[in-house]
Amino acid sequence: MMTLFHSLLTAYMLPGLILAFGLCFFFVVVPFRRGLGGYRMARRMMGCAYLVCFAALVAEAITQKPSAPTASQQILMVAIAILQAFFFTYALVTLIDVRFFTWRRFWRETVVVTLPVMAALVVAFAFNGQYADAAFRLLALFYMGKLVGYVFLFRRHYRGYELRMADYFSDDERQRLLWVKRSFYASLAMGVLALFYALFSAIPSASAVLSLLFTLVMTAYYAVFAIRFVNYAFSFQQIEVAMLDDPLPVAHDAENSPSLPSVSPLTPSPKKNTEEHSLIDRLDSLMTEKRLYANPNLTIEELAVLVGESHRAVSAAINSYLHTNFKSWVNDYRVAEARRLIEDRFLDSHTTDALATTVGFANRVSFYRVFKKVTGCSPTGY
């Protein structure tokens, strides 16, 4: 029964699913927005990745034999995994950094991943498999090195993405693209699983179980990933302005900015700048008098309009004068107000959720995390 199910899954269900989604990457319409140029190219890369996977599944179904795969076939498995890792990483990084994709970078990386693959294939097939085992081990080591390199690449760009979001939005807007981060690490897990599959599939007793497990996981992941990736084009408008804005240097990020006094977050730098000091004073008055921090969807663009400055001027003042970012700066006002309300016994007649909403947090989870970071204890403990 398991053998029949595995045969149906690998021969018909999975290839058909992969082909359908691969064609979606090419033919589903992408809105003509300024920041989606790289995404269009990323969609084509993902379409190629899915079609390569489809071709590999069809070839495996046609040439399927009861015996364990040879070293040459293992090389093909790793070669496909390397190409998948390359396409997936570059496509996902493009989603969080619209300036990442360039043809020069793309072709350079294509050469880097293609040459070792071609060399291993030539060694495996030109010498009748005599050195196939050695070529497979070397290619597997190269693949592991590339996976590590891709992790560092993604983490660096995702960190920049978080800083851009924290300098524009006052809520956890970045969480709306948390699926990109999760997709990358899920892809990494798939890549590691593919390597284990290639390594241990040569063992006859483990080959069938590993093949079924790998196929099931791949089916679920490829389907979910394709849907989220295609829908990104329509959710991009939520963060478009922040993504296209030129990033400013930030002294502290959203998670590590210093906690500020409970009365007012206004803490000037020792090295004063008259214009920035004046702007910060106006911002502080505006935030305090109009309670702008109570709006969970407040953006730096909206604040800049109210103060009569460009949002880049406001961002530069907050960054360089207060040594923090917009999100952390607004959250300090929210925590200061929450502390005042708690001291006025607000929680005697209201829930913690009501307190979070009143001071401007979008949800209780964000409120708890930020409040505990600033005060060292939970709202109820405080």
Side-chain angles (χ1 to χ4, degrees), residues 260-334:
L260 300 174
S262 59
V263 178
S264 171
L266 182 60
T267 305
S269 168
K271 186 179 179 180
K272 295 183 178 180
N273 179 287
T274 305
E275 291 183 3
E276 288 182 344
H277 179 74
S278 174
L279 178 54
I280 291 296
D281 277 338
R282 290 155 57 199
L283 291 170
D284 182 60
S285 298
L286 196 62
M287 290 288 286
T288 305
E289 294 170 5
K290 294 184 177 295
R291 296 186 74 253
L292 297 178
Y293 54 82
N295 176 12
N297 299 314
L298 179 67
T299 67
I300 201 168
E301 185 76 44
E302 295 169 341
L303 183 61
V305 170
L306 290 174
V307 82
E309 298 283 350
S310 70
H311 80 272
R312 287 192 57 76
V314 174
S315 182
I318 295 173
N319 276 246
S320 63
Y321 195 76
L322 299 179
H323 301 293
T324 188
N325 57 51
F326 174 70
K327 179 182 173 182
S328 295
W329 179 69
V330 174
N331 280 342
D332 284 320
Y333 282 96
R334 292 168 175 164

Side-chain angles (χ1 to χ4, degrees), residues 3-83:
T3 304
L4 176 61
F5 175 70
H6 180 254
S7 299
L8 289 174
L9 187 64
T10 56
Y12 300 102
M13 297 169 60
L14 181 57
L17 184 73
I18 297 295
L19 177 61
F21 281 121
L23 294 176
C24 285
F25 282 121
F26 286 104
F27 296 111
V28 171
V29 176
V30 180
F32 284 97
R33 306 184 73 92
R34 185 164 63 95
L36 291 177
Y39 169 72
R40 291 187 185 91
M41 192 61 233
R43 279 264 291 263
R44 297 187 187 101
M45 281 195 295
M46 292 313 307
C48 292
Y50 272 58
L51 292 181
V52 167
C53 184
F54 167 74
L57 289 170
V58 171
E60 181 183 3
I62 293 174
T63 61
Q64 193 173 24
K65 297 178 181 179
S67 59
T70 63
S72 299
Q73 291 172 319
Q74 289 176 301
I75 289 175
L76 283 174
M77 293 179 192
V78 176
I80 293 170
I82 290 173
L83 293 176

Side-chain angles (χ1 to χ4, degrees), residues 71-76 79 113-136 138-139:
S72 299
Q73 291 172 319
Q74 289 176 301
I75 289 175
L76 283 174
V113 299
T114 301
L115 287 180
V117 168
M118 296 302 296
L121 291 174
V122 168
V123 170
F125 291 101
F127 298 95
N128 296 321
Q130 185 177 358
Y131 303 105
D133 285 331
F136 168 67
L138 289 174
L139 191 62

Side-chain angles (χ1 to χ4, degrees), residues 108-349:
R108 183 177 60 203
E109 186 65 17
T110 300
V111 171
V112 169
V113 299
T114 301
L115 287 180
V117 168
M118 296 302 296
L121 291 174
V122 168
V123 170
F125 291 101
F127 298 95
N128 296 321
Q130 185 177 358
Y131 303 105
D133 285 331
F136 168 67
R137 294 190 184 95
L138 289 174
L139 191 62
L141 288 174
F142 171 77
Y143 177 47
M144 287 188 287
K146 291 305 298 180
L147 287 181
V148 172
Y150 287 148
V151 169
F152 281 104
L153 175 70
F154 181 82
R155 284 174 62 87
R156 183 172 72 250
H157 285 274
Y158 194 81
R159 191 60 173 162
Y161 160 74
E162 287 183 308
L163 294 178
R164 287 195 299 276
M165 295 300 105
D167 242 351
Y168 193 89
F169 298 101
S170 64
D171 68 343
D172 286 330
E173 180 74 21
R174 65 183 178 86
Q175 297 295 330
R176 297 181 188 179
L177 283 189
L178 189 60
W179 72 269
V180 175
K181 183 178 181 180
R182 290 172 177 168
S183 293
F184 174 79
Y185 286 109
S187 300
L188 178 65
M190 286 291 300
V192 174
L193 185 60
L195 180 60
F196 275 99
Y197 177 51
L199 286 170
F200 296 104
S201 60
I203 304 174
S205 59
S207 179
V209 176
L210 280 174
S211 180
L212 178 60
L213 175 63
F214 182 67
T215 305
L216 286 172
V217 173
M218 186 167 65
T219 302
Y221 175 69
Y222 272 63
V224 173
F225 176 83
I227 293 171
R228 298 305 298 268
F229 198 95
V230 170
N231 286 336
Y232 170 83
F234 305 98
S235 62
F236 176 74
Q237 58 186 343
Q238 298 171 340
I239 60 168
E240 182 174 11
V241 177
M243 289 286 278
L244 297 179
D245 189 28
D246 292 329
L248 289 169
V250 184
H252 297 278
D253 57 53
E255 302 299 328
N256 298 309
S257 59
S259 58
L260 300 174
S262 59
V263 178
S264 171
L266 182 60
T267 305
S269 168
K271 186 179 179 180
K272 295 183 178 180
N273 179 287
T274 305
E275 291 183 3
E276 288 182 344
H277 179 74
S278 174
L279 178 54
I280 291 296
D281 277 338
R282 290 155 57 199
L283 291 170
D284 182 60
S285 298
L286 196 62
M287 290 288 286
T288 305
E289 294 170 5
K290 294 184 177 295
R291 296 186 74 253
L292 297 178
Y293 54 82
N295 176 12
N297 299 314
L298 179 67
T299 67
I300 201 168
E301 185 76 44
E302 295 169 341
L303 183 61
V305 170
L306 290 174
V307 82
E309 298 283 350
S310 70
H311 80 272
R312 287 192 57 76
V314 174
S315 182
I318 295 173
N319 276 246
S320 63
Y321 195 76
L322 299 179
H323 301 293
T324 188
N325 57 51
F326 174 70
K327 179 182 173 182
S328 295
W329 179 69
V330 174
N331 280 342
D332 284 320
Y333 282 96
R334 292 168 175 164
V335 171
E337 177 65 5
R339 293 170 70 172
R340 186 188 68 79
L341 290 174
I342 292 173
E343 290 165 5
D344 288 343
R345 308 189 70 82
F346 182 88
L347 290 179
D348 288 354
S349 56

